[in-house]
Amino acid sequence: MSRMRLLSHCLILPLALALSDSTRAQGKARLLEAEQIADRCVTGSAILPLLGGPSDAPIIPVTINDHPAAMFVSPLFGHLFVHNAGDIWFNQGITHPMIAQDHVPVLSEQTRIDTLQIGPIMLHDLIAERLDGEARHSISGRPLIGMIGRPLFKKLLLMLDVPHEKLGLMVWRNSPDCSSGPSAIFTHTPQIIAMDDRARVMAQIDGRKLRLTLDPDLGMNTLPVSDPANSASTGDLAHDPKVVTRFGAITRGARHVFHSFRLGEKQLGPTEFLVLENIDEGTLGESFFQHNVVLFDFPDDQFLFAPSEARVLQPNLGLHFDETHQGYTSVQESGASEAGRESK
């Protein structure tokens, strides 16, 4: 088997594992077809392991300036963020403010990365935002130094397969025999939804339309209390469990289960969101990505997803780039622990 065919097989196999025994027989034909299309239409790919557990943000191994490291991945972030970590040191640049999701300003310094290697992909002379302080966590013996955002993926397909602990990067061939697009490499027919240049999609909550950002780094689904899609009344929220969440500052809200949640043509049923003050946009977080294989098709501005059974064996480590903490509260809220959230 050639190296490219092996990569294509590794790309398709996790999707096939989601097939139940009853559908596995008819799925074999689709699997073979998907492998053939991937072999023909994927001109370059990298398949990387996800290093954390199912509730951790997506984390991949990288090599940065010739040092082994690990980085988070989320298409929501519009920048490449880094921290210093031991022998991995970045030059200090011009300081400027960035705004967190809840409007709290944080400071960042522009710096450059000489080399960043992601699997077989080698990138040079990258502009990055250096955040204050050194990296505080490590995983698999690698310092967890920062976040790779969507600018590095704008010409690629990004497959995120949390249920099978894999992340794939692909280049799709632009030719007539590949015009069916990457949906053909799914063994289940995926939902295909338009995605804007900020990785946002349209959804419906209890029949009300809204735009949600896609952020597998965020530990929960969120919805602004002021959003017209928030069908929960003040009385409903008063009876829900109260939460305190820290982004840049403390944000109060409630855990609410909405009756229906629709994404594309897929009805996902009752779904929990944190309904929060002081945020502008709703977000689809890790609870969605734990149960779906997804593909971010940045060149064609599409988001594809299909359900899958989780097969993650690694334990959860509580690792997220956004050091977001939440807790239940009833009376005293002023003692919430200090935990910063980096700007997106």
Side-chain angles (χ1 to χ4, degrees), residues 184-195:
I185 66 175
F186 280 76
T187 51
H188 283 300
T189 302
Q191 294 290 311
I192 305 175
I193 308 172
M195 179 177 64

Side-chain angles (χ1 to χ4, degrees), residues 33-111:
E33 180 185 5
E35 286 184 329
Q36 292 171 344
I37 292 174
D39 191 46
R40 180 174 69 245
C41 297
V42 176
T43 62
S45 63
I47 310 301
L48 301 164
L50 294 178
L51 300 181
S55 292
D56 293 309
I59 302 167
I60 59 171
V62 300
T63 301
I64 192 160
N65 297 343
D66 297 324
H67 295 283
M71 296 187 76
F72 295 104
V73 176
S74 175
L76 176 60
F77 287 77
H79 300 273
L80 176 64
F81 290 99
V82 293
H83 287 277
N84 290 329
D87 293 334
I88 304 175
W89 196 260
F90 302 97
N91 292 330
Q92 185 174 353
I94 298 174
T95 299
H96 59 98
M98 304 189 81
I99 304 299
Q101 181 173 324
D102 54 357
H103 313 296
V104 175
V106 295
L107 294 179
S108 173
E109 297 175 354
Q110 193 171 96
T111 188

Side-chain angles (χ1 to χ4, degrees), residues 96-325:
H96 59 98
M98 304 189 81
I99 304 299
Q101 181 173 324
D102 54 357
H103 313 296
V104 175
V106 295
L107 294 179
S108 173
E109 297 175 354
Q110 193 171 96
T111 188
R112 286 185 178 272
I113 299 174
D114 293 334
T115 60
L116 172 61
Q117 185 173 356
I118 306 171
I121 302 170
M122 184 72 75
L123 304 170
H124 300 277
D125 195 26
L126 301 174
I127 296 175
E129 298 292 333
R130 190 185 79 161
L131 299 169
D132 189 35
E134 291 205 16
R136 291 178 289 176
H137 302 289
S138 63
I139 186 169
S140 300
R142 296 168 175 264
L144 192 45
I145 66 163
M147 166 64 74
I148 301 173
R150 66 181 177 274
L152 264 64
F153 306 129
K154 61 184 178 181
K155 296 182 180 180
L156 302 173
L157 308 180
L158 169 63
M159 181 195 77
L160 179 58
D161 186 355
V162 174
H164 305 102
E165 304 173 305
K166 291 183 183 295
L167 182 144
L169 301 175
M170 295 167 278
V171 179
W172 192 261
R173 186 189 301 278
N174 186 16
S175 63
D177 60 343
C178 297
S179 60
S180 59
S183 64
I185 66 175
F186 280 76
T187 51
H188 283 300
T189 302
Q191 294 290 311
I192 305 175
I193 308 172
M195 179 177 64
D196 68 14
D197 60 359
R198 290 177 52 199
R200 300 182 300 176
V201 297
M202 292 299 299
Q204 291 185 44
I205 296 179
D206 289 350
R208 302 185 184 191
K209 292 183 179 181
L210 77 161
R211 193 176 295 276
L212 292 174
T213 58
L214 300 166
D215 186 10
D217 175 60
L218 194 63
M220 68 294 287
N221 302 324
T222 64
L223 182 67
V225 69
S226 59
D227 197 299
N230 174 24
S231 59
S233 67
T234 302
D236 292 333
L237 296 176
H239 289 92
D240 288 328
K242 303 300 182 295
V243 293
V244 171
T245 299
R246 177 174 283 277
F247 298 113
I250 290 175
T251 299
R252 295 172 174 82
R255 285 180 175 268
H256 185 78
V257 178
F258 292 91
H259 297 296
S260 70
F261 176 58
R262 188 183 184 97
L263 198 56
E265 298 301 315
K266 182 71 172 179
Q267 177 57 252
L268 299 175
T271 303
E272 184 180 77
F273 281 76
L274 297 190
V275 182
L276 300 174
E277 303 170 352
N278 303 325
I279 63 172
D280 289 331
E281 292 184 324
T283 302
L284 200 58
E286 70 180 19
S287 58
F288 170 81
F289 293 94
Q290 287 179 24
H291 304 288
N292 291 276
V293 177
V294 307
L295 187 74
F296 298 87
D297 181 353
F298 290 103
D300 290 327
D301 298 321
Q302 293 182 330
F303 177 68
L304 296 78
F305 72 94
S308 182
E309 293 180 10
R311 295 172 180 264
V312 178
L313 301 177
Q314 301 181 88
N316 292 321
L317 301 174
L319 295 174
H320 295 267
F321 177 70
D322 274 345
E323 297 282 351
T324 306
H325 289 246

